[in-house]
Amino acid sequence: MIVLKTLEEIELMRESALIVSKTLGMLAKEVKPGVTTLALDTMAEAFIRDHGAVPGFLGLYDFPNSLCMSPNAQVVHGIPNKEPLKEGDVISIDCGALKNGFHGDHAYTFEVGEVAPEVKELLEVTKQSLYVGIAELKAGNRVGDVGYAIQKYTEDHGYGVVRELVGHGLGREMHEDPQMPNYGKRGRGKKFVNGMVVAIEPMTNMGTKDIIQLNDGWTILTKDGKPSAHFEHDIAIVDGKPEILSTFKYINDALGIVTNVEDQFRAKPYGA
Ligand code: MG
Ligand code: MG
């Protein structure tokens, strides 16, 4: 069942999403060779609580930490640990925050020091595929239109689209209907209407789309051991159009990335 949100509820969801955005922006400055994913997790939990929220993932389905930390060949759902990040790694950080009863949930894949050009390209294409998907998120379109667009863009670049894990509706629950696959057929699936809020999250593998799961019951890895990237935004449908509630602005500010790509998906650009 899809739970539609009022405009007031969407503003509360924006607040939760922006706490995640700011947390990722804070982490952007801390991701460097030598830092452990557990140390980053500890910083994030404190930051989220300082902003009046609770970590959305901590304890969810018994997940042990506040962040999912998935380096290199890990796709998603990696558990923070005491292994230091190394020069040339990439690390997908997925973060959740719960405030006023509503979840924010978004993710970014960071470069650790200098990264190989082909890995940089994987990250760029995955991030761009997220925006390609968001552009399809308008009233009258269907779930399959988003999935088709992401899949086409990704496969045209020769990468694998993970099938087993998908985006989702978002609200008082972290995972609500509808499921939002990163693959699909045009014109298929549920129709978008005003008041829907979803998390779109392409998970893109440099090689095969196939994955395996570690016996920790969580960590998802690429089957061929090649790198994977993951970017996620929270988006509402307002006035028939996509309205991004989360933002990479704080990450971009921290990393010196200049872009206005998100402005097309927001009624009013976010200020400083
Ligand atoms: Mg997420
Ligand atoms: Mg999600």
Side-chain angles (χ1 to χ4, degrees):
M1 184 189 68
I2 295 173
V3 182
L4 300 179
K5 280 79 185 177
T6 65
L7 289 175
E8 290 73 21
E9 289 172 328
I10 287 170
E11 287 314 308
L12 292 176
M13 293 196 68
R14 192 194 301 274
E15 202 176 323
S16 302
L18 286 179
I19 291 171
V20 177
S21 304
K22 289 171 186 171
T23 307
L24 292 173
M26 179 275 293
L27 293 169
K29 299 189 201 106
E30 305 292 340
V31 170
K32 53 189 118 177
V35 73
T36 70
T37 51
L38 193 59
L40 296 172
D41 183 78
T42 304
M43 289 177 215
E45 179 173 355
F47 189 93
I48 291 165
R49 293 190 190 282
D50 283 349
H51 284 75
V54 296
F57 297 166
L58 186 63
L60 184 71
Y61 316 118
D62 292 327
F63 189 75
N65 291 86
S66 297
L67 302 175
C68 292
M69 289 290 221
S70 311
N72 303 324
Q74 293 188 11
V75 179
V76 287
H77 301 168
I79 299 173
N81 61 31
K82 292 181 175 167
E83 183 109 356
L85 294 173
K86 304 184 307 294
E87 179 85 19
D89 284 349
V90 290
I91 176 80
S92 159
I93 304 183
D94 196 349
C95 179
L98 176 64
K99 187 173 182 182
N100 300 314
F102 287 99
H103 285 277
D105 165 29
H106 81 118
Y108 194 92
T109 303
F110 294 91
E111 302 172 17
V112 183
E114 201 52 47
V115 166
E118 64 271 24
V119 178
K120 248 182 212 292
E121 176 71 7
L122 171 71
L123 268 48
E124 272 313 308
V125 168
T126 308
K127 193 198 291 182
Q128 186 56 36
S129 79
L130 171 56
Y131 296 119
V132 166
I134 291 171
E136 298 287 334
L137 195 71
K138 47 196 177 195
N141 268 11
R142 292 177 182 271
V143 166
D145 294 311
V146 171
Y148 172 85
I150 293 173
Q151 180 180 11
K152 171 98 172 67
Y153 186 83
T154 304
E155 291 180 350
D156 282 353
H157 284 85
Y159 298 137
V161 174
V162 172
R163 300 299 201 275
E164 291 85 347
L165 299 139
V166 297
H168 49 91
L170 185 72
R172 293 190 180 276
E173 304 292 332
M174 173 74 72
H175 297 118
E176 297 187 357
D177 288 334
Q179 291 200 339
M180 295 291 301
N182 301 303
Y183 56 91
K185 293 196 165 64
R186 282 220 175 271
R188 301 282 180 87
K190 289 270 190 281
K191 197 182 267 193
F192 299 126
V193 296
N194 285 331
M196 283 174 74
V197 181
V198 298
I200 300 183
E201 47 181 316
M203 288 156 264
T204 304
N205 297 348
M206 183 179 279
T208 178
K209 64 177 170 42
D210 295 337
I211 56 165
I212 53 173
Q213 187 172 34
L214 284 189
N215 59 13
D216 62 11
W218 282 104
T219 311
I220 305 291
L221 290 131
T222 59
K223 195 174 178 192
D224 59 10
K226 291 185 180 172
S228 184
H230 177 217
F231 290 84
E232 177 176 23
H233 266 312
D234 301 334
I235 312 103
I237 299 176
V238 178
D239 291 336
K241 300 192 297 282
E243 170 76 21
I244 308 192
L245 305 179
S246 49
T247 179
F248 292 147
K249 170 185 161 42
Y250 302 100
I251 296 171
N252 293 337
D253 287 351
L255 300 180
I257 298 170
V258 178
T259 171
N260 58 2
V261 64
E262 289 177 1
D263 291 351
Q264 62 185 311
F265 303 125
R266 193 170 286 126
K268 283 180 288 196
Y270 284 152

